Amino acid sequence: MTKEQLPVHLPVLDLAQPVEMSFLSSLSRACHEWGFFYVTNHGVPDDIFSTICSLSKAIFSLPPELKLKLGPDSGIKSYTPRFIASPYFESLLVSGSDFYSSAKASSDELGCEHLSDLCDLLQEYGTRMTVVAKKVIEVLLKVLGNEFEVKFTEPEFSHCHGYLRLINYASPEMVTEKEVEGLGMHTDMSCISIVCQDESGGLQMRSNEGNWLNVEPRKGYLVVNIGDLMQAWSNGRLRSAEHRVVLRRPVNRHSLAFFWCFEDEKVILAPDEVVGKGNVRLYRPFLCCKYLRFRESNEEGKFEKIAYTVNDFARVNIQH
Ligand SMILES: O=C(O)CCC(=O)C(=O)O
Ligand SMILES: [Fe+2]
């Protein structure tokens, strides 16, 4: 497997414009090949991400033993400390749709009652992301053709829910190699994920040939990647991309990821029309929460090397 860095031009979905047919075909190619694209005119104010990151320092800079009150072994379970995903990665989970209350429960537990501005902003960010995610899902259904956005948005996607993960990557102290892995290769368990990374960059997607390509941060743009649930629901027509985060410079990196997921009790099964006449159904039907549990049980303690995806869980006739 080679690891060269190549520039790649991902399409940009402009949410303020009607979607043109010519754009749909380039989006379709990107979703099939990469599972990544950008979105712009998304309605999320430019400075909200940086303000959330700077306010969240009040939490991430607390002593480790205090942060452990939030998990992973406490009742709240919103905090992932370092040395689970990687030596650099720590994160705080904020559940929707009441993002405010979820964030407030964590900050109160830590004795940071003064962080109500952060909680307000997370509520605003989560609410706006929810709107973006719904629009993006409609566009993805359009990509699949046959007016599926009219047919399937409501019956299949109306009970989706979102959650946020605020991530703080510690600065690699002594970078002797060119780069270090801040978050190892994985696929997301979501339908789609929408990521905002700071200007230090480092998010990378993996090509089918095993090359790592940078997904550069671009001002005013959010990054969308397709997750495992959408890959299964679309019978593999939309690719859940393998991705990772590398830390290149001795800086503290921040990102904010929004995950849009099916409800726990949903049975995920690609509709016959999505599979298409004459095509093989690639995934057996499965209960969403069972897949999430499968991933969690396999990831425990070894998040840095995530070997399991929905292909291991539900793909029929796996070809090696
Ligand atoms: O930090 C990032 O840019 C991406 C994080 C990510 O891939 C994840 O949390 O699943
Ligand atoms: Fe991810």
Side-chain angles (χ1 to χ4, degrees), residues 22-311:
S22 58
F23 177 74
L24 272 188
S25 60
S26 75
L27 188 60
S28 168
R29 264 197 312 279
C31 290
H32 188 73
E33 211 179 320
W34 298 110
F36 267 93
F37 56 94
Y38 291 104
V39 63
T40 189
N41 287 320
H42 39 65
V44 184
D46 262 356
D47 54 354
I48 186 167
F49 166 68
S50 50
T51 314
I52 288 173
C53 292
S54 59
L55 290 174
S56 70
K57 276 189 195 127
I59 292 181
F60 287 124
S61 56
L62 289 170
E65 60 280 10
L66 206 54
K67 290 185 280 188
L68 288 174
K69 285 170 92 174
L70 301 181
D73 300 323
S74 72
I76 291 191
K77 289 189 174 15
S78 57
Y79 179 63
T80 303
R82 298 218 156 94
F83 295 97
I84 289 186
S86 90
Y88 306 101
F89 175 106
E90 64 176 332
S91 78
L92 187 71
L93 199 103
V94 181
S95 320
S97 57
D98 192 349
F99 298 93
Y100 180 91
S101 299
S102 170
K104 187 85 171 63
S106 292
S107 66
D108 286 354
E109 181 72 20
L110 294 171
C112 299
E113 289 86 0
H114 59 285
L115 284 179
S116 63
D117 282 354
L118 175 63
C119 301
D120 280 333
L121 284 174
L122 287 166
Q123 177 64 43
E124 182 181 350
Y125 191 88
T127 305
R128 287 186 188 262
M129 280 295 154
T130 301
V131 174
V132 176
K134 287 180 178 171
K135 289 184 182 166
V136 169
I137 291 287
E138 280 203 49
V139 175
L140 289 179
L141 295 181
K142 241 187 180 135
V143 161
L144 295 174
N146 298 325
E147 300 197 332
F148 286 159
E149 75 283 9
V150 180
K151 182 146 198 189
F152 293 125
T153 303
E154 179 59 29
E156 293 284 330
F157 293 89
S158 59
H159 299 294
C160 281
H161 65 98
Y163 65 92
L164 287 166
R165 192 186 280 150
L166 255 167
I167 311 172
N168 180 42
Y169 296 87
S171 152
E173 290 287 303
M174 289 194 291
V175 190
T176 46
E177 296 154 45
K178 216 170 103 206
E179 58 197 23
V180 295
E181 232 171 40
L183 181 60
M185 178 173 95
H186 66 283
T187 59
D188 288 349
M189 294 181 259
S190 54
C191 289
I192 54 167
S193 310
I194 309 177
V195 177
C196 195
Q197 56 176 333
D198 70 19
E199 62 289 343
S200 63
L203 180 61
Q204 294 186 329
M205 58 187 182
R206 190 172 178 265
S207 73
N208 277 319
E209 296 76 40
N211 293 322
W212 286 108
L213 294 109
N214 295 322
V215 182
E216 302 290 355
R218 294 175 66 178
K219 205 167 165 42
Y221 290 25
L222 296 166
V223 174
V224 176
N225 72 272
I226 291 158
D228 286 354
L229 298 180
M230 201 62 183
Q231 175 169 296
W233 188 89
S234 68
N235 202 43
R237 293 172 64 189
L238 303 170
R239 179 177 182 230
S240 175
E242 290 137 328
H243 55 285
R244 68 172 183 179
V245 173
V246 294
L247 308 172
R248 287 190 210 100
R249 291 184 285 140
V251 289
N252 186 209
R253 179 185 187 273
H254 295 101
S255 63
L256 185 46
F258 176 82
F259 301 93
W260 188 242
C261 303
F262 283 129
E263 62 276 23
D264 279 359
E265 59 282 8
K266 183 176 173 64
V267 175
I268 294 152
L269 175 66
D272 287 341
E273 290 152 280
V274 172
V275 174
K277 266 211 187 82
N279 295 328
V280 178
R281 179 175 289 284
L282 297 178
Y283 298 91
R284 63 169 176 81
F286 63 92
L287 200 61
C288 183
C289 60
K290 287 213 168 150
Y291 176 55
L292 304 187
R293 252 181 260 141
F294 164 81
R295 282 282 298 255
E296 276 153 19
S297 62
N298 282 307
E299 277 167 16
E300 213 170 339
K302 53 184 169 82
F303 198 99
E304 81 281 5
K305 279 258 178 297
I306 295 161
Y308 299 99
T309 72
V310 73
N311 288 343

